[in-house]
Coordinates of all heavy atoms in Angstrom, one line a residue:
L9 N 21.6 -5.6 7.3 CA 22.5 -5.6 6.1 C 23.8 -6.2 6.4 O 24.6 -6.5 5.5 CB 22.6 -4.2 5.6 CG 21.4 -3.7 4.9 CD1 21.5 -2.1 4.6 CD2 20.9 -4.5 3.6
A10 N 24.3 -6.2 7.7 CA 25.5 -6.8 8.1 C 25.6 -8.3 8.2 O 24.5 -8.9 8.4 CB 25.8 -6.3 9.5
S11 N 26.7 -8.9 7.8 CA 26.9 -10.3 8.0 C 26.8 -10.6 9.4 O 27.0 -9.8 10.3 CB 28.3 -10.7 7.3 OG 29.2 -10.3 8.1
R12 N 26.6 -11.9 9.6 CA 26.6 -12.4 11.0 C 27.9 -12.0 11.6 O 27.9 -11.7 12.9 CB 26.3 -13.9 10.9 CG 25.4 -14.4 11.9 CD 25.1 -15.9 11.7 NE 24.8 -16.6 13.0 CZ 23.7 -16.6 13.7 NH1 22.7 -15.9 13.1 NH2 23.6 -17.1 14.8
N13 N 28.9 -12.3 11.0 CA 30.2 -12.1 11.5 C 30.6 -10.6 11.9 O 31.0 -10.3 12.9 CB 31.3 -12.6 10.5 CG 32.7 -12.6 11.1 OD1 32.9 -13.0 12.2 ND2 33.6 -12.1 10.3
S14 N 30.2 -9.7 10.8 CA 30.3 -8.3 11.2 C 29.4 -7.8 12.3 O 29.8 -7.1 13.1 CB 29.9 -7.4 10.0 OG 30.8 -7.7 8.9
A15 N 28.3 -8.4 12.5 CA 27.3 -8.1 13.5 C 27.9 -8.5 14.9 O 28.0 -7.6 15.9 CB 26.0 -8.6 13.3
A16 N 28.3 -9.7 14.9 CA 29.0 -10.2 16.1 C 30.2 -9.4 16.6 O 30.5 -9.0 17.8 CB 29.3 -11.7 16.0
R17 N 31.1 -9.2 15.6 CA 32.4 -8.4 15.9 C 32.1 -6.9 16.3 O 32.7 -6.4 17.2 CB 33.3 -8.6 14.8 CG 33.8 -10.2 14.6 CD 34.7 -10.2 13.5 NE 36.0 -9.8 13.8 CZ 37.1 -9.6 13.0 NH1 36.8 -9.9 11.8 NH2 38.1 -9.1 13.4
G18 N 31.1 -6.5 15.5 CA 30.6 -5.1 15.8 C 30.1 -4.9 17.2 O 30.4 -3.9 18.0
Y19 N 29.4 -5.9 17.6 CA 28.9 -5.9 19.0 C 30.0 -5.9 20.0 O 29.8 -5.3 21.0 CB 27.8 -7.0 19.3 CG 27.2 -7.0 20.6 CD1 26.2 -6.0 20.9 CD2 27.6 -7.9 21.6 CE1 25.7 -6.0 22.2 CE2 27.1 -7.8 22.9 CZ 26.1 -6.9 23.2 OH 25.6 -6.8 24.4
G20 N 31.0 -6.8 19.7 CA 32.1 -6.9 20.6 C 32.8 -5.4 20.8 O 33.3 -5.1 21.8
Y21 N 33.0 -4.9 19.5 CA 33.6 -3.5 19.6 C 32.7 -2.5 20.4 O 33.3 -1.7 21.2 CB 33.7 -3.0 18.2 CG 35.0 -3.4 17.5 CD1 35.5 -4.7 17.5 CD2 35.7 -2.5 16.6 CE1 36.7 -5.0 17.0 CE2 36.8 -2.8 16.0 CZ 37.4 -4.1 16.1 OH 38.6 -4.4 15.4
F22 N 31.5 -2.6 20.3 CA 30.5 -1.7 21.0 C 30.7 -2.0 22.5 O 31.0 -1.0 23.2 CB 29.1 -2.0 20.6 CG 28.0 -1.4 21.6 CD1 27.8 -0.2 21.7 CD2 27.4 -2.4 22.4 CE1 26.9 0.3 22.6 CE2 26.5 -1.9 23.4 CZ 26.2 -0.6 23.5
Q23 N 30.9 -3.3 22.9 CA 30.9 -3.7 24.3 C 32.2 -3.2 24.9 O 32.3 -2.7 26.0 CB 30.9 -5.1 24.4 CG 29.5 -5.7 24.4 CD 29.5 -7.1 24.7 OE1 30.2 -8.0 24.0 NE2 28.7 -7.6 25.7
R24 N 33.4 -3.2 24.1 CA 34.6 -2.8 24.5 C 34.9 -1.3 24.2 O 36.1 -0.8 24.4 CB 35.7 -3.7 23.8 CG 35.7 -5.1 24.1 CD 36.9 -5.9 23.8 NE 37.2 -5.9 22.3 CZ 36.6 -6.5 21.3 NH1 35.6 -7.3 21.7 NH2 36.9 -6.4 20.0
K25 N 33.9 -0.5 23.9 CA 34.0 0.8 23.8 C 35.0 1.2 22.7 O 35.8 2.2 22.9 CB 34.1 1.5 25.1 CG 33.1 1.1 26.1 CD 32.6 2.3 27.0 CE 31.7 1.8 28.0 NZ 30.4 1.2 27.6
K26 N 35.0 0.6 21.5 CA 36.0 1.0 20.5 C 35.6 2.2 19.7 O 36.3 2.7 18.9 CB 36.1 -0.3 19.6 CG 36.8 -1.5 20.3 CD 38.3 -1.3 20.2 CE 39.0 -2.7 20.4 NZ 40.3 -2.6 20.1
V27 N 34.3 2.6 19.9 CA 34.0 3.9 19.2 C 34.5 5.1 20.1 O 34.0 5.3 21.2 CB 32.4 3.9 19.1 CG1 32.0 5.3 18.4 CG2 32.0 2.8 18.4
L28 N 35.6 5.6 19.5 CA 36.2 6.7 20.2 C 35.6 8.1 20.3 O 35.7 8.7 21.3 CB 37.7 6.9 19.7 CG 38.5 5.6 19.4 CD1 39.8 5.9 18.7 CD2 38.8 5.0 20.9
S29 N 35.0 8.5 19.3 CA 34.2 9.7 19.2 C 33.1 9.5 18.2 O 33.0 8.8 17.3 CB 35.2 10.8 18.7 OG 35.4 10.5 17.3
I30 N 32.0 10.3 18.5 CA 30.8 10.3 17.7 C 30.3 11.7 17.6 O 30.3 12.4 18.5 CB 29.8 9.3 18.2 CG1 28.8 9.0 17.1 CG2 29.2 9.7 19.5 CD1 28.3 7.6 17.3
E31 N 29.8 12.1 16.4 CA 29.2 13.4 16.2 C 27.9 13.2 15.3 O 27.9 12.5 14.3 CB 30.3 14.2 15.3 CG 29.6 15.5 14.9 CD 30.7 16.1 13.9 OE1 31.8 15.9 13.8 OE2 30.1 17.1 13.1
K32 N 26.9 13.8 15.9 CA 25.6 13.8 15.1 C 25.7 14.8 14.1 O 25.8 16.0 14.4 CB 24.5 14.0 16.1 CG 23.2 13.9 15.4 CD 22.0 14.0 16.4 CE 20.7 13.8 15.8 NZ 19.5 13.8 16.8
V33 N 25.5 14.5 12.9 CA 25.6 15.3 11.8 C 24.2 15.9 11.3 O 23.9 17.0 10.9 CB 26.2 14.6 10.4 CG1 26.1 15.4 9.2 CG2 27.6 14.2 10.8
D34 N 23.2 15.0 11.4 CA 21.7 15.3 11.1 C 20.9 14.2 11.8 O 21.4 13.2 12.4 CB 21.5 15.2 9.5 CG 20.4 16.0 9.2 OD1 19.7 16.5 9.9 OD2 20.2 16.1 7.9
E35 N 19.7 14.2 11.6 CA 18.7 13.2 12.3 C 19.0 11.9 11.7 O 19.0 11.7 10.4 CB 17.2 13.6 12.1 CG 16.3 12.8 12.8 CD 16.4 13.0 14.3 OE1 16.7 14.2 14.7 OE2 16.4 12.0 15.1
G36 N 19.6 11.0 12.6 CA 19.9 9.6 12.1 C 21.1 9.6 11.3 O 21.5 8.4 10.8
V37 N 21.8 10.6 11.3 CA 23.2 10.5 10.5 C 24.2 10.9 11.5 O 24.2 11.9 12.2 CB 23.2 11.5 9.4 CG1 24.5 11.6 8.6 CG2 22.0 11.3 8.4
F38 N 25.3 10.0 11.5 CA 26.5 10.2 12.4 C 27.8 9.9 11.8 O 27.8 9.2 10.9 CB 26.3 9.2 13.6 CG 25.0 9.4 14.4 CD1 23.8 8.7 13.9 CD2 25.0 10.2 15.5 CE1 22.6 8.8 14.6 CE2 23.7 10.3 16.1 CZ 22.7 9.8 15.8
K39 N 28.8 10.6 12.3 CA 30.2 10.4 12.0 C 30.9 9.8 13.2 O 30.5 10.4 14.4 CB 30.8 11.6 11.6 CG 30.6 12.2 10.2 CD 31.5 13.4 9.8 CE 31.1 14.0 8.6 NZ 32.0 15.1 8.3
S40 N 31.7 8.9 13.1 CA 32.5 8.4 14.2 C 33.8 8.1 13.9 O 34.3 8.0 12.7 CB 31.8 7.3 14.8 OG 31.8 6.0 14.1
R41 N 34.7 7.9 14.8 CA 36.1 7.3 14.7 C 36.1 6.0 15.6 O 35.7 6.1 16.8 CB 37.1 8.3 15.2 CG 38.4 7.7 15.1 CD 39.6 8.5 14.7 NE 39.5 9.0 13.3 CZ 40.4 9.9 12.9 NH1 41.4 10.2 13.6 NH2 40.3 10.2 11.6
V42 N 36.5 4.9 15.0 CA 36.5 3.6 15.6 C 37.9 3.2 15.7 O 38.6 3.0 14.7 CB 35.6 2.7 15.0 CG1 35.5 1.4 15.6 CG2 34.2 3.3 14.9
S43 N 38.4 2.6 16.8 CA 39.6 1.9 17.0 C 39.6 0.6 16.4 O 38.7 -0.2 16.9 CB 40.0 2.0 18.4 OG 41.3 1.3 18.7
G44 N 40.5 0.1 15.5 CA 40.3 -1.1 14.9 C 41.2 -2.1 15.6 O 42.0 -1.8 16.5
S45 N 41.1 -3.3 15.2 CA 41.9 -4.5 15.9 C 43.4 -4.3 15.7 O 44.2 -4.7 16.4 CB 41.4 -5.8 15.4 OG 41.5 -5.9 14.0
D46 N 43.7 -3.6 14.6 CA 45.2 -3.6 14.3 C 45.8 -2.2 14.8 O 46.9 -1.8 14.5 CB 45.4 -3.6 12.7 CG 44.4 -2.5 12.0 OD1 43.8 -1.8 12.7 OD2 44.4 -2.6 10.8
G47 N 45.1 -1.5 15.7 CA 45.6 -0.3 16.3 C 45.3 0.9 15.3 O 45.4 2.1 15.8
K48 N 44.7 0.8 14.1 CA 44.5 1.9 13.3 C 43.1 2.5 13.6 O 42.3 1.8 14.3 CB 44.3 1.4 11.8 CG 45.6 1.1 11.2 CD 45.4 0.6 9.7 CE 46.6 0.2 9.1 NZ 46.5 -0.3 7.7
R49 N 42.8 3.6 13.2 CA 41.5 4.3 13.5 C 40.8 4.4 12.2 O 41.4 4.9 11.2 CB 41.8 5.6 14.2 CG 42.3 5.2 15.6 CD 42.7 6.5 16.3 NE 43.2 6.0 17.6 CZ 43.3 6.7 18.7 NH1 42.8 7.9 18.7 NH2 43.7 6.2 19.8
Y50 N 39.6 4.2 12.2 CA 38.6 4.1 11.0 C 37.7 5.3 11.1 O 37.1 5.5 12.2 CB 38.0 2.8 10.8 CG 39.2 1.8 10.5 CD1 39.6 1.0 11.5 CD2 39.8 1.7 9.3 CE1 40.5 0.0 11.3 CE2 40.9 0.9 9.0 CZ 41.1 0.0 10.1 OH 42.1 -0.9 9.9
D51 N 37.3 6.0 10.0 CA 36.3 6.9 9.9 C 35.1 6.3 9.4 O 35.1 5.6 8.3 CB 36.8 8.1 9.1 CG 38.0 8.8 9.7 OD1 37.9 9.1 10.8 OD2 38.9 9.2 8.9
V52 N 33.9 6.5 10.2 CA 32.8 5.8 9.9 C 31.6 6.9 9.7 O 31.6 7.9 10.4 CB 32.2 4.8 11.0 CG1 30.9 4.2 10.8 CG2 33.4 3.8 11.1
Y53 N 30.7 6.6 8.7 CA 29.6 7.5 8.4 C 28.4 6.6 8.4 O 28.4 5.6 7.6 CB 29.8 8.4 7.2 CG 28.6 9.0 6.7 CD1 28.4 10.4 7.0 CD2 27.7 8.4 5.8 CE1 27.3 11.0 6.5 CE2 26.6 9.1 5.3 CZ 26.4 10.4 5.7 OH 25.2 11.1 5.3
I54 N 27.4 6.9 9.2 CA 26.2 6.0 9.1 C 25.0 6.9 8.9 O 25.0 8.1 9.6 CB 26.0 5.1 10.4 CG1 25.7 5.8 11.7 CG2 27.2 4.1 10.6 CD1 25.1 5.0 12.8
D55 N 24.1 6.3 8.4 CA 22.8 6.9 8.0 C 21.7 5.9 8.3 O 21.5 5.0 7.6 CB 22.7 7.4 6.5 CG 21.4 8.1 6.3 OD1 20.4 8.0 7.0 OD2 21.4 9.0 5.2

């Protein structure tokens, strides 16, 4: 579902360990905090 650009940039974030924290909420459901390129931190929820 991600654009090519989002996938590539997300992979770069993954490689640079920009995911600061991660919590398993349920099976296949996670919350995380990710450091953005502008120094801000973003709250992420994935299912």
Side-chain angles (χ1 to χ4, degrees):
L9 293 171
S11 70
R12 217 173 151 81
N13 190 44
S14 289
R17 294 179 74 194
Y19 182 74
Y21 271 42
F22 163 74
Q23 286 184 304
R24 293 190 308 279
K25 308 219 183 297
K26 294 276 199 164
V27 178
L28 304 173
S29 64
I30 194 145
E31 174 189 342
K32 184 174 183 176
V33 176
D34 202 353
E35 191 62 38
V37 179
F38 301 86
K39 285 184 184 179
S40 71
R41 173 140 299 175
V42 181
S43 177
S45 55
D46 53 8
K48 291 182 183 175
R49 295 179 179 201
Y50 298 101
D51 295 317
V52 175
Y53 170 91
I54 68 166
D55 184 334

